Amino acid sequence: MSQRQVLQGVMSLLRPLLLDVVPTIQQTAALALGRLASYNEDLAEAVVKGDILPQLIYSLAEQNRFYKKAAAFVLRAVAKHSPALAHAVVDCGALDALVISLEEFDPDVKEAAAWALGYIARHNANLSQEVVDAGAVPLLVLCIQEPEVALKRIAASALSDIAKHSPELAQTVVDTGAIAHLAQMILNPDAKLKRQVFSALSQISKHSVDLAEMVVEAEIFPAVLACLRDPDEYVRKNVTTLMREITKHTPELSQMIVNTGGVAAVIDYLGDSHGNVRLPGIMMLGYVAAHSENLAMAVIVSKGVPQLAICLSEEPEEHIKAATAWAFGQIGRHTPEHARAVATANVLPSLLALYMDTDSSEDLQVKVGS
Amino acid sequence: MASLVRLQNEIERIKEEYFTRNRIAEENRQRENEAAILIQSWFRGCQVRSYLSHLHRKATIIQKIWRGFTARAHFRQMVKAAYFIMKMNFYHEMSVRIQQRWRGYCVRKYSHNYYARKRYMEGLARKNKQIRRDLEEFSEFQRRERERMAMEREEQEKNVQAQRMHFLLSTKQCPGVFNSPFRPGPDEMELRLRRTKPLPPRNIPRDRASLLGNTSPSSPSFPGVPRAFGAKPLPPIPSKKPQGPFRGPAEVWAQRQRGLEPSLRVQTSISDLEQAQDQLRSGEWRNHTMETMFQPFSKAHQNRSYERMLHTSSSFQPVPYGTKHFREEHQENLQGKQS
């Protein structure tokens, strides 16, 4: 029997179990469906084709909390694979049911519903807009204020997925007052929560100057710099991403970050980290230096150039080297003083070698040449 | 008359002369006419020429005067204009100097203030250093906290292990697993076993009967649980709810655990009378001031020896403390000096 036939067989076995009298069997069948769908995209498609979703959604409104949790798990598992599947989930009317289950008392149900909404909104702007139109955002902001850490995590990640697509969506998220609550959770000891919070803040602030200014007005600096020493690597990466998204808009925001000592903290971060996670730090330094000559001098004074030279020599990846070359260009282009500072770090020979190297990519060569 | 005669003599000559003169004049008329014309034209020409040259001269004079006049006026204008331009140039020059100075000052002070920038960079370097130091301290602190928590957790775990494996403690007769005789000293686990107290014997799962009435593990005299004297023990945590219309164990316990209410006769102890008498006696002894009791018809009070009063019997004099001072005590040593 081919895999597809096996799949159809499994679906036809599980579907009647969903309508069983005993509630435990229903819950276990839903859980099994969810696990199957989350493993493989074909299985998820089979779930959609087998017309199981309307049944699940109908009973989502009525059954007890374990069933709701399992049904939301199935929806999440189906929606996570591709935009088409997520669209199919939305077309069955899942959004209203999920938003209703966000108003439940049980935190596990809320967590599963928020997770499903987050996975739906992740794919593209249309789906995010539909999630927002269903009225999910104020409920997610309420979920963030709940005491359970897991629920906070999932709600923060859902808000981050909603806000990342367009400025209007980010504005909608901000209008419900999410920034204040996200800012309160910055010093929470849980590392995964901090990851999601910083990711959400950076997705909000990346779209426009006003949003970045609103994020900064929440007085997250200098508390954010303390999180740059968190033992968790991805927390640090997300903090640097947030700082990069803030500094890229205007010189005033960059100035503010420089005045709080952010540049020194990021340079130390670059020294401690390795690999891909260095990229947002390098780009942040490049953006800061690009705005004005004073800021470029500030980067030089904070001992940024030796650190960037180390990054250039240590990292094997092409795109990180390209970013470092771009950052050097931004630092050195203002006045001869700056160029001299870049030159004394013995960076130019390695840049030249990269330019001449036929193996390096077009992008790298263009960046080095500029 | 003479002249008349003379004139009559002359008439012929005059007639001839008249005719010759006319003939000559007639012959020379053309020539003379032309000559006269020539002379006249030349003369007229001279006249006109002199008139013209006169006119020219006069016109030249007039023009000369006029030109001089206009030229001088023009020159005056030019001089004025040149003077004005010179002044303006001077003013421009000076204002350029003022503006140069001002712009240099302005730019150096406000726009590209070198010293302010230098101070800012120095301040920034200091701030960076401070931030780096703070972050270092913070991460150190965090690390130590985490290590401390990890160590505490480990300690807890080991203590729990030791409690549960307390039976492996070595006895006098037989050394335990962790106290091998071939080792120079006992193992760390052995020391831990010695330190910790063993786990109390686990509660056997009770049935309903013991839940409702028996007090054995929960009586006040149970030695394992330290409790304040007279405090009631907590009711047991219901593990299995019995099906049926039973009252809760707390209620039943309160009903069943009525305290002793002995009657008055039973309450009074056997030695109550003696205790009461003792109490009265000690109350009297406490309260009376005279120690010697009045004993009539006895001669006991006569055998007492006489005790002198402290004031009359001591050899010490009243101390002149505060009234007399050292110098006054030995007046003779002063020898007349001022006090």
Side-chain angles (χ1 to χ4, degrees), chain B residues 312-326:
Chain B
T312 52
S313 58
S314 74
S315 56
F316 299 112
Q317 295 145 13
V319 178
Y321 185 75
T323 50
K324 283 187 166 194
H325 304 282
F326 295 121

Side-chain angles (χ1 to χ4, degrees), chain A residues 29-256:
Chain A
L31 200 59
L33 272 172
R35 290 209 180 129
L36 284 171
S38 101
Y39 173 70
N40 193 347
E41 192 172 342
D42 290 334
L43 286 166
E45 269 188 47
V47 167
V48 171
K49 282 207 194 92
D51 262 349
I52 297 178
L53 292 177
Q55 175 61 40
L56 276 175
I57 292 165
Y58 173 70
S59 36
L60 192 66
E62 291 172 8
Q63 299 280 358
N64 67 1
R65 56 196 167 109
F66 299 107
Y67 189 81
K68 284 192 211 217
K69 209 165 108 175
F73 173 51
V74 175
L75 291 171
R76 157 170 59 114
V78 168
K80 85 175 181 196
H81 292 287
S82 81
L85 284 170
H87 221 86
V89 169
V90 168
D91 285 338
C92 299
L95 285 176
D96 294 323
L98 285 171
V99 167
I100 290 173
S101 35
L102 265 182
E103 291 174 342
E104 285 276 317
F105 291 116
D106 187 43
D108 289 329
V109 172
K110 281 196 272 205
E111 184 185 330
W115 212 335
L117 286 168
Y119 273 23
I120 291 175
R122 187 177 283 198
H123 295 288
N124 62 30
N126 281 337
L127 288 165
S128 290
Q129 188 62 49
E130 292 193 30
V131 168
V132 168
D133 289 338
V137 177
L139 293 167
L140 284 171
V141 172
L142 276 174
C143 284
I144 278 192
Q145 302 167 38
E146 297 278 331
E148 290 84 22
V149 176
L151 182 55
K152 284 200 230 245
R153 249 184 248 156
I154 305 296
S157 115
L159 284 173
S160 156
D161 287 331
I162 290 176
K164 77 182 180 197
H165 296 285
S166 86
E168 292 82 25
L169 290 165
Q171 187 65 48
T172 322
V173 170
V174 165
D175 285 338
T176 48
I179 291 186
H181 298 113
L182 287 171
Q184 275 170 7
M185 295 196 289
I186 282 178
L187 291 177
N188 197 295
D190 186 47
K192 290 188 179 156
L193 174 62
K194 278 192 276 204
R195 275 187 215 173
Q196 299 302 337
V197 162
F198 285 122
S199 153
L201 286 171
S202 59
Q203 303 291 4
I204 290 175
S205 59
K206 82 178 180 194
H207 293 288
S208 83
V209 184
D210 298 320
L211 291 167
E213 277 179 2
M214 287 179 77
V215 169
V216 165
E217 271 163 23
E219 289 177 20
I220 48 177
F221 290 96
V224 147
L225 299 180
C227 296
L228 267 178
R229 294 300 181 112
D230 202 87
D232 189 59
E233 195 182 30
Y234 288 100
V235 171
R236 296 201 295 260
K237 176 176 176 235
N238 285 350
V239 170
T240 358
T241 313
L242 170 66
M243 289 170 76
R244 173 189 81 190
E245 303 297 353
I246 290 180
T247 55
K248 81 179 185 197
H249 293 290
T250 71
E252 286 82 20
L253 286 168
S254 308
Q255 184 73 53
M256 189 224 65

Side-chain angles (χ1 to χ4, degrees), chain A residues 225-226 229 255 258-260 264 268 293-294 297-298 302, chain B residues 117 120-121 124-125 127-128 131-132 135-136 138-139 146:
Chain A
L225 299 180
R229 294 300 181 112
Q255 184 73 53
V258 165
N259 285 347
T260 54
D268 287 347
E293 178 258 332
N294 271 336
M297 189 49 96
S302 319
Chain B
R117 196 172 111 116
Y120 171 71
M121 291 297 165
L124 186 69
K127 171 100 191 194
N128 282 344
I131 289 270
R132 280 184 170 131
L135 283 181
E136 277 290 328
F138 180 72
S139 66
R146 266 179 276 125

Side-chain angles (χ1 to χ4, degrees), chain B residues 141-201:
Chain B
F141 172 72
Q142 290 275 11
R143 195 180 54 83
R144 265 185 270 126
E145 278 291 312
R146 266 179 276 125
E147 277 174 13
R148 193 177 57 86
M149 297 290 295
M151 262 185 15
E152 271 180 14
R153 237 177 291 130
E154 248 188 74
E155 271 289 314
Q156 270 296 92
E157 270 181 36
K158 284 198 178 152
N159 277 343
V160 165
Q161 283 278 54
Q163 262 194 331
R164 289 167 66 191
M165 297 200 298
H166 197 259
F167 52 88
L168 292 174
L169 184 66
S170 54
T171 57
K172 194 162 172 183
Q173 189 67 343
C174 165
V177 178
F178 297 113
N179 191 8
S180 161
F182 304 111
R183 283 171 69 99
D187 190 44
E188 173 241 342
M189 199 61 188
E190 169 70 26
L191 295 168
R192 210 179 279 273
L193 286 173
R194 286 185 196 165
R195 271 204 300 267
T196 54
K197 279 200 253 192
L199 277 177

Side-chain angles (χ1 to χ4, degrees), chain A residues 257-287:
Chain A
I257 288 192
V258 165
N259 285 347
T260 54
V263 167
V266 166
I267 289 170
D268 287 347
Y269 161 74
L270 282 179
D272 293 333
S273 59
H274 301 278
N276 249 335
V277 294
R278 273 178 168 170
L279 187 62
I282 296 173
M283 289 181 73
M284 183 226 168
L285 290 176
Y287 279 129

